[in-house]
Amino acid sequence: MSLSITSSVSNRSAARGLMPLCAGVGAYLFYLAAGEILLRDSDTMWQIKVGQWILDHRAMPYSDVFSFTRYGETWISSSWLSQVAFAFVYGPGDWAGPVILTSLAIGATVAIFLHLLSPYFDPARAFLIAALALLLSTTHFFARPHVLALPVLVAFLGGLMAAADRRSHPSWWLLPLMALWANLHGGFLLGLALIGPIGLEAVWSAEPSRRRDLIARWALFGLAALAASCLTPYGWNTLLGATKILSLGKLLSLIWEWMPADFRTPSLFEATLLGLVGMAFYRKLTLSVPRILLLLGLIYMALTHVRNIEIFAFIAPLVLARPIAEQWGTTEATEPRFGEARSVPFVTILAAVAVLIGGGVTTKLFVDQHPFKFLPSVTPVAAVDLLQQQKAQRIFSTAPFGGYMVSRGMKVFIDGRAELYGEQFVLDYFDATEAKNVGQLLGLLDKYRIDATLLNATSPAGYALDHAAGWKRLYKDGTAVIHVRANDKTSLLPAAQSTN
């Protein structure tokens, strides 16, 4: 009987240990199957072009080479490693590589997240929390560097919270994660910023006799993390480059992912916040002052910029996990096991290998039968073909078209690198595309000696140019419209391909 009980407990333990891996593979396969939702942001295309430039030149960019409005001006890539990774797996016209890489990053994020939650929640509750985090984050899941950095973000901040939960100092093994994060995406600044607040929680909860030692250890770790974040090709300039986006002022309220959360219509994020508040009151959850400040900070970030909702979704549960486990009895609260070496049963290793092989085989079969396509609304193929035939050089285009134009080897007016163009330039661009003042639009076209425009088919600026003196419509389809100066000697397309 005792052997039977021991075997049953061992099997349950093995199954529980495999749960993060299985869930991670499941998330990976889900986003692979729905790969087109990762290909709806044209920034992916210029990110890949930057990576290709780095691989071709075996050097790092220090100035802009992709636009005619900022050509030669200082610009560094704070996401160079992600861009190289995307470029390495990308084949011309074949989006399977970037989709697979992005889906792998999402799957790894889920696996790490569930591993961090496992000491505090039973598998069913942990899985539900992970599913909610994915639902909250999906609107910002693109084949872009921030998603490749997401598993590193969760692992680093989860490691800090694990140290705070055990009232200890962080593991030095987190420093390589910071160095990796700094090369993948500029969001590493968040990791540096949260070392202090999370360290405060560790010191607050520790015995008074240990606090001085903990303060010194967390401070030393913070300095080491700062140094690790500079282990990039740009060195200290990485910090300056990553902060540049924060200086765009009013412009941030006009870029979708930097906009504040909008509660004018019901949303899952709104329901999550209200549900969290209601559960906390109903179950009388008590938090320490540092955890309250951490939670409020994460909520503030998500309310201020919608791109931070995924940070709230994956980090807030780690902040709340131990108090909930201790006060609500979701599972027996144990010491966090992040970074702790443990023996793994051979049968578990075999099962894990089988899961990974199954995921690989499924990937091969699916990719062979399913060509991935980018969102048509940001890939004006026919319009760009025409502009290249006409050898147009200075083209005023919308920012969402910029990524595709860069991928076609064209110098652009603007693309997604708002930190390069600056606040006033992009504000002028927005005013021009809205065409609230036609004189202002025409003035901008004259200022930059524009010889053709490439606008969204429904753009107000396009309608304005239809009636503006000195401009004529050359081409229009369901995606884009082209206008050229009326005195340009340009041959029109056949009537079947253009509209008047």
Side-chain angles (χ1 to χ4, degrees), residues 122-134:
D122 59 74
R125 286 190 176 96
F127 182 82
L128 287 174
I129 294 171
L132 178 59
L134 283 176

PDB file of all heavy atoms in Angstrom, residues 122-134:
ATOM      1  N   ASP A 122      -2.515  25.967  -7.195  1.00  0.00           N
ATOM      2  CA  ASP A 122      -2.643  24.649  -7.799  1.00  0.00           C
ATOM      3  C   ASP A 122      -2.675  24.813  -9.314  1.00  0.00           C
ATOM      4  O   ASP A 122      -2.903  25.903  -9.828  1.00  0.00           O
ATOM      5  CB  ASP A 122      -3.914  23.960  -7.297  1.00  0.00           C
ATOM      6  CG  ASP A 122      -5.170  24.757  -7.625  1.00  0.00           C
ATOM      7  OD1 ASP A 122      -5.562  24.747  -8.813  1.00  0.00           O
ATOM      8  OD2 ASP A 122      -5.744  25.397  -6.720  1.00  0.00           O
ATOM      9  N   PRO A 123      -2.415  23.741 -10.070  1.00  0.00           N
ATOM     10  CA  PRO A 123      -2.309  23.877 -11.532  1.00  0.00           C
ATOM     11  C   PRO A 123      -3.519  24.506 -12.204  1.00  0.00           C
ATOM     12  O   PRO A 123      -3.365  25.299 -13.142  1.00  0.00           O
ATOM     13  CB  PRO A 123      -2.104  22.425 -11.994  1.00  0.00           C
ATOM     14  CG  PRO A 123      -1.439  21.758 -10.832  1.00  0.00           C
ATOM     15  CD  PRO A 123      -2.048  22.389  -9.615  1.00  0.00           C
ATOM     16  N   ALA A 124      -4.728  24.179 -11.739  1.00  0.00           N
ATOM     17  CA  ALA A 124      -5.921  24.729 -12.385  1.00  0.00           C
ATOM     18  C   ALA A 124      -5.972  26.246 -12.235  1.00  0.00           C
ATOM     19  O   ALA A 124      -6.233  26.974 -13.211  1.00  0.00           O
ATOM     20  CB  ALA A 124      -7.176  24.094 -11.798  1.00  0.00           C
ATOM     21  N   ARG A 125      -5.735  26.739 -11.007  1.00  0.00           N
ATOM     22  CA  ARG A 125      -5.766  28.193 -10.798  1.00  0.00           C
ATOM     23  C   ARG A 125      -4.629  28.880 -11.563  1.00  0.00           C
ATOM     24  O   ARG A 125      -4.824  29.946 -12.158  1.00  0.00           O
ATOM     25  CB  ARG A 125      -5.660  28.514  -9.307  1.00  0.00           C
ATOM     26  CG  ARG A 125      -6.924  28.219  -8.505  1.00  0.00           C
ATOM     27  CD  ARG A 125      -6.798  28.794  -7.097  1.00  0.00           C
ATOM     28  NE  ARG A 125      -8.003  28.632  -6.324  1.00  0.00           N
ATOM     29  CZ  ARG A 125      -8.228  27.641  -5.468  1.00  0.00           C
ATOM     30  NH1 ARG A 125      -7.299  26.695  -5.301  1.00  0.00           N
ATOM     31  NH2 ARG A 125      -9.360  27.568  -4.788  1.00  0.00           N
ATOM     32  N   ALA A 126      -3.444  28.293 -11.529  1.00  0.00           N
ATOM     33  CA  ALA A 126      -2.312  28.894 -12.232  1.00  0.00           C
ATOM     34  C   ALA A 126      -2.589  28.970 -13.733  1.00  0.00           C
ATOM     35  O   ALA A 126      -2.275  29.974 -14.379  1.00  0.00           O
ATOM     36  CB  ALA A 126      -1.046  28.078 -11.969  1.00  0.00           C
ATOM     37  N   PHE A 127      -3.188  27.920 -14.269  1.00  0.00           N
ATOM     38  CA  PHE A 127      -3.495  27.909 -15.698  1.00  0.00           C
ATOM     39  C   PHE A 127      -4.512  28.995 -16.040  1.00  0.00           C
ATOM     40  O   PHE A 127      -4.381  29.679 -17.068  1.00  0.00           O
ATOM     41  CB  PHE A 127      -4.026  26.540 -16.109  1.00  0.00           C
ATOM     42  CG  PHE A 127      -4.323  26.418 -17.575  1.00  0.00           C
ATOM     43  CD1 PHE A 127      -3.299  26.154 -18.472  1.00  0.00           C
ATOM     44  CD2 PHE A 127      -5.610  26.585 -18.060  1.00  0.00           C
ATOM     45  CE1 PHE A 127      -3.563  26.065 -19.839  1.00  0.00           C
ATOM     46  CE2 PHE A 127      -5.884  26.493 -19.411  1.00  0.00           C
ATOM     47  CZ  PHE A 127      -4.850  26.228 -20.305  1.00  0.00           C
ATOM     48  N   LEU A 128      -5.522  29.187 -15.195  1.00  0.00           N
ATOM     49  CA  LEU A 128      -6.520  30.229 -15.450  1.00  0.00           C
ATOM     50  C   LEU A 128      -5.895  31.618 -15.412  1.00  0.00           C
ATOM     51  O   LEU A 128      -6.229  32.487 -16.231  1.00  0.00           O
ATOM     52  CB  LEU A 128      -7.654  30.131 -14.428  1.00  0.00           C
ATOM     53  CG  LEU A 128      -8.614  28.953 -14.599  1.00  0.00           C
ATOM     54  CD1 LEU A 128      -9.605  28.897 -13.443  1.00  0.00           C
ATOM     55  CD2 LEU A 128      -9.367  29.047 -15.930  1.00  0.00           C
ATOM     56  N   ILE A 129      -4.974  31.833 -14.471  1.00  0.00           N
ATOM     57  CA  ILE A 129      -4.292  33.128 -14.390  1.00  0.00           C
ATOM     58  C   ILE A 129      -3.460  33.360 -15.648  1.00  0.00           C
ATOM     59  O   ILE A 129      -3.452  34.458 -16.216  1.00  0.00           O
ATOM     60  CB  ILE A 129      -3.409  33.191 -13.133  1.00  0.00           C
ATOM     61  CG1 ILE A 129      -4.278  33.148 -11.871  1.00  0.00           C
ATOM     62  CG2 ILE A 129      -2.553  34.457 -13.132  1.00  0.00           C
ATOM     63  CD1 ILE A 129      -3.484  32.993 -10.581  1.00  0.00           C
ATOM     64  N   ALA A 130      -2.766  32.317 -16.118  1.00  0.00           N
ATOM     65  CA  ALA A 130      -1.954  32.447 -17.335  1.00  0.00           C
ATOM     66  C   ALA A 130      -2.835  32.717 -18.547  1.00  0.00           C
ATOM     67  O   ALA A 130      -2.478  33.525 -19.422  1.00  0.00           O
ATOM     68  CB  ALA A 130      -1.123  31.187 -17.543  1.00  0.00           C
ATOM     69  N   ALA A 131      -3.983  32.042 -18.618  1.00  0.00           N
ATOM     70  CA  ALA A 131      -4.890  32.257 -19.744  1.00  0.00           C
ATOM     71  C   ALA A 131      -5.400  33.695 -19.761  1.00  0.00           C
ATOM     72  O   ALA A 131      -5.492  34.336 -20.823  1.00  0.00           O
ATOM     73  CB  ALA A 131      -6.063  31.284 -19.666  1.00  0.00           C
ATOM     74  N   LEU A 132      -5.716  34.244 -18.584  1.00  0.00           N
ATOM     75  CA  LEU A 132      -6.174  35.629 -18.497  1.00  0.00           C
ATOM     76  C   LEU A 132      -5.055  36.582 -18.919  1.00  0.00           C
ATOM     77  O   LEU A 132      -5.303  37.564 -19.642  1.00  0.00           O
ATOM     78  CB  LEU A 132      -6.628  35.946 -17.078  1.00  0.00           C
ATOM     79  CG  LEU A 132      -7.092  37.392 -16.808  1.00  0.00           C
ATOM     80  CD1 LEU A 132      -8.262  37.754 -17.711  1.00  0.00           C
ATOM     81  CD2 LEU A 132      -7.458  37.581 -15.346  1.00  0.00           C
ATOM     82  N   ALA A 133      -3.824  36.293 -18.491  1.00  0.00           N
ATOM     83  CA  ALA A 133      -2.692  37.139 -18.877  1.00  0.00           C
ATOM     84  C   ALA A 133      -2.518  37.152 -20.393  1.00  0.00           C
ATOM     85  O   ALA A 133      -2.244  38.202 -20.996  1.00  0.00           O
ATOM     86  CB  ALA A 133      -1.418  36.656 -18.192  1.00  0.00           C
ATOM     87  N   LEU A 134      -2.679  36.003 -21.021  1.00  0.00           N
ATOM     88  CA  LEU A 134      -2.563  35.942 -22.478  1.00  0.00           C
ATOM     89  C   LEU A 134      -3.675  36.734 -23.157  1.00  0.00           C
ATOM     90  O   LEU A 134      -3.433  37.464 -24.133  1.00  0.00           O
ATOM     91  CB  LEU A 134      -2.608  34.490 -22.954  1.00  0.00           C
ATOM     92  CG  LEU A 134      -1.339  33.667 -22.763  1.00  0.00           C
ATOM     93  CD1 LEU A 134      -1.571  32.226 -23.183  1.00  0.00           C
ATOM     94  CD2 LEU A 134      -0.181  34.265 -23.547  1.00  0.00           C
TER      95      LEU A 134
END
